[in-house]
Amino acid sequence: MLKYNLSQIDNISEKILLNLSEADCIFLFGELGCGKTTFARSLIHQLQKKNKVDQTEVLSPTFNLLHEYEIKSLKVMHYDLYRLKTNKEVDQLGIFEDNKKVITIIEWPEKIKKKIENRLEVTLHYESDVESRKINLKGFGKWKNFKLNAI
């Protein structure tokens, strides 16, 4: 587990982006307000910057459930499952149906029964200092040996 300051979130997302490819999935775990959307915003902005695309506003998809971002030939699907109550509601979203040229970012992934193989689970934790967090990464599939040793 790594401790970081919120101002360092771009450094973290940059390092993750170096390993990110089409059809990957990022699961974001953590309490309300711990920085899941902030992390997603940073990752999407880093991806836009890398592809020389203007940065767009990245909002929490809590009420819409999904925001899509077109970045050249790549699509980023940013889900927030917080308000969903049943597995049927989650299944109706068809999250993993078309994952070619799609990077999927999911907040509140605890509600998903079917787990995609190539995923990075990012868990954010509060610290006593308001500007600090702890982050824990756990990889599966191609992410299995991914380590973030320093920011």
Side-chain angles (χ1 to χ4, degrees), residues 61 65-67 77-81 93-95 104-107:
L65 302 179
L66 167 67
H67 286 300
M77 307 289 276
H78 179 199
Y79 292 90
D80 186 323
L81 307 181
L93 290 174
I95 294 174
T104 306
I105 302 171
I106 303 172
E107 298 184 39

Side-chain angles (χ1 to χ4, degrees), residues 90-144:
V90 173
D91 291 343
Q92 287 174 340
L93 290 174
I95 294 174
F96 303 119
E97 286 177 8
D98 178 25
N99 64 352
K100 292 182 180 165
K101 294 195 179 246
V102 175
I103 292 172
T104 306
I105 302 171
I106 303 172
E107 298 184 39
W108 303 98
E110 312 67 350
K111 301 184 178 194
I112 297 174
K113 287 205 177 210
K114 177 187 174 191
K115 308 290 188 207
I116 193 165
E117 182 183 350
N118 289 321
R119 71 182 187 278
L120 180 63
E121 293 185 354
V122 178
T123 305
L124 302 162
H125 305 273
Y126 282 111
E127 276 286 285
S128 55
D129 173 14
V130 167
E131 292 297 312
S132 296
R133 299 288 188 274
K134 284 187 180 172
I135 189 168
N136 188 43
L137 304 171
K138 184 174 182 182
F140 298 85
K142 78 161 214 170
W143 289 94
K144 186 175 182 176

